[in-house]
Amino acid sequence: MPGAIHAEGLVKTFGDVRALDGVDLDVPEGTVLGLLGPNGAGKTTTVRCLTTLLRPDSGKAVVAGVDVLKHPDAVRRSIGLSGQFAAVDEYLTGRENLQMVGRLYQMRAKAAKARAQELLEQFDLADAADRPTKTYSGGMRRRLDLAAALVVSPPVMFMDEPTTGLDPRNRQLLWEVIKKLVSGGTTLLLTTQYLEEADHLAHDIAVVDHGHVIAQGTSDQLKARTGGERVEVVVHEREHMATAAEVLSGFGKGETTVEDHMRMLTVPVTGGAKLLAEVIRELDTRGIEIDDIGLRRPTLDDVFLSLTGHIAEEKNAETDKETVK
């Protein structure tokens, strides 16, 4: 049975640019799907097609049990959307913004007022409720935008890079709000470039590149595809780098990466802390002095490089720009 968000073969083109090239997704009810990918990979275009803001050229999409192409109005009544940029009226107060959204959803004035107050308190905005939104910080505007998307408590939510540009405190606050939403049964599709964010929030992750899904699984499964753990060494003397590379190659399960300007070498390994101790002993035996050594898990850049062959190419950013004009 299809999930709360289901897409098959979504295709969308902008002139000669094929923004989506057969996207397939399925998000079970009450779970979070993290949609990851480089800039211009098609994440925002996917969200806009699923939320009726764009009509795909071909393919099928069902959200909250409703066909997106056949019944777009019904879909809009069942979803909430928080886009990449805070969509609030800066001349209205925070309270007025939320009450306006409630009235647009045909809530009675009293109910819209009560819901606005509830959300202002939930998002730690009560003290600024009656200030014009133009006086809000970026983090406050982001929180108000997310609150507006939740005025009618939709069963399905779409969040397009909701924490980009937020400081750590505001990011943590939004994470807690999102967790509460999902624990209450909300289904969420979240686009992000922060693997840490996906680690905290997503039950499953889909990696998109050049308009189609190239990998899907849990965060740990995707990290494992990049080689699992890695030993990272910074040698004291540049002249010892060749010997250090030879040592690491003996322990590694893949190619050793050398960053000469930083005197840093990195190699994928298996074996954890026990293997790290063996590496240190061997480097000491060879007389190689080190400034730093550690065992780390793959970063988001590691995942992107492994799965896509690049990080975030500027030329690809034009695709998603096209969708937000």
Side-chain angles (χ1 to χ4, degrees):
M1 182 177 177
I5 303 172
H6 182 77
E8 294 179 16
L10 289 184
V11 173
K12 182 63 182 178
T13 60
F14 299 98
D16 295 332
V17 177
R18 199 172 180 85
L20 299 183
D21 191 18
V23 168
D24 297 321
L25 295 173
D26 192 72
V27 189
E29 184 176 346
T31 67
V32 180
L33 175 69
L35 202 60
L36 303 182
N39 290 335
K43 303 186 300 295
T44 295
T45 304
T46 299
V47 168
R48 291 174 69 85
C49 285
L50 292 172
T51 57
T52 77
L53 297 176
L54 282 175
R55 186 178 181 87
D57 300 329
S58 62
K60 176 183 178 182
V62 176
V63 174
V66 181
D67 191 300
V68 173
L69 299 181
K70 293 181 180 178
H71 307 290
D73 289 340
V75 170
R76 293 178 193 127
R77 288 192 290 268
S78 302
I79 65 173
L81 170 63
S82 179
Q84 285 189 6
F85 307 100
V88 295
D89 189 321
E90 63 178 19
Y91 292 102
L92 298 180
T93 66
R95 188 186 309 279
E96 289 168 342
N97 266 283
L98 296 181
Q99 289 181 192
M100 177 184 68
V101 172
R103 296 295 283 158
L104 289 172
Y105 273 105
Q106 300 182 352
M107 295 175 66
R108 293 185 180 275
K110 185 176 180 179
K113 183 177 180 180
R115 181 59 174 159
Q117 181 62 33
E118 180 183 344
L119 288 168
L120 288 165
E121 292 174 1
Q122 181 180 357
F123 283 86
D124 196 21
L125 292 169
D127 290 343
D130 298 309
R131 281 168 38 194
T133 307
K134 64 182 178 180
T135 68
Y136 284 18
S137 67
M140 293 169 70
R141 291 188 186 204
R142 204 70 181 103
R143 297 194 326 257
L144 182 63
D145 180 68
L146 181 54
L150 298 173
V151 166
V152 293
S153 302
V156 178
M157 276 289 299
F158 294 86
M159 297 184 185
D160 195 4
E161 300 189 13
T163 64
T164 297
L166 294 187
D167 60 51
R169 178 182 175 278
N170 280 310
R171 184 173 295 166
Q172 289 285 346
L173 178 61
L174 281 184
W175 285 355
E176 291 306 313
V177 170
I178 290 169
K179 287 178 182 178
K180 288 179 182 178
L181 283 174
V182 177
S183 67
T186 299
T187 304
L188 172 63
L189 189 150
L190 168 80
T191 79
T192 180
Q193 292 194 24
Y194 299 117
L195 190 56
E196 180 188 10
E197 188 158 274
D199 278 337
H200 276 78
L201 301 175
H203 298 89
D204 207 17
I205 295 171
V207 180
V208 180
D209 194 31
H210 297 298
H212 56 91
V213 177
I214 61 172
Q216 188 162 353
T218 66
S219 178
D220 286 341
Q221 289 170 340
L222 293 179
K223 289 176 182 179
R225 292 184 60 168
T226 69
E229 298 171 323
R230 297 174 181 224
V231 168
E232 189 173 87
V233 178
V234 178
V235 301
H236 185 68
E237 298 288 348
R238 186 168 278 104
E239 63 190 49
H240 290 154
M241 291 189 66
T243 306
E246 181 183 333
V247 171
L248 292 182
S249 295
F251 290 96
K253 300 298 181 182
E255 183 179 353
T256 300
T257 301
V258 178
E259 298 180 57
D260 189 69
H261 65 292
M262 298 177 64
R263 306 189 311 281
M264 180 186 293
L265 303 96
T266 306
V267 67
V269 298
T270 57
K274 181 179 178 181
L275 180 135
L276 182 62
E278 294 175 3
V279 173
I280 293 172
R281 282 195 295 269
E282 182 63 21
L283 290 170
D284 186 57
T285 298
R286 297 284 195 101
I288 301 173
E289 185 179 353
I290 60 175
D291 290 340
D292 192 22
I293 187 168
L295 190 69
R296 68 174 178 85
R297 302 188 73 190
T299 64
L300 179 59
D301 281 352
D302 295 326
V303 173
F304 279 179
L305 284 168
S306 174
L307 296 175
T308 71
H310 58 88
I311 300 176
E313 298 171 310
E314 290 299 322
K315 65 181 181 180
N316 287 343
E318 297 304 316
T319 301
D320 276 352
K321 287 180 183 177
E322 186 74 31
T323 69
V324 297
K325 289 181 178 178

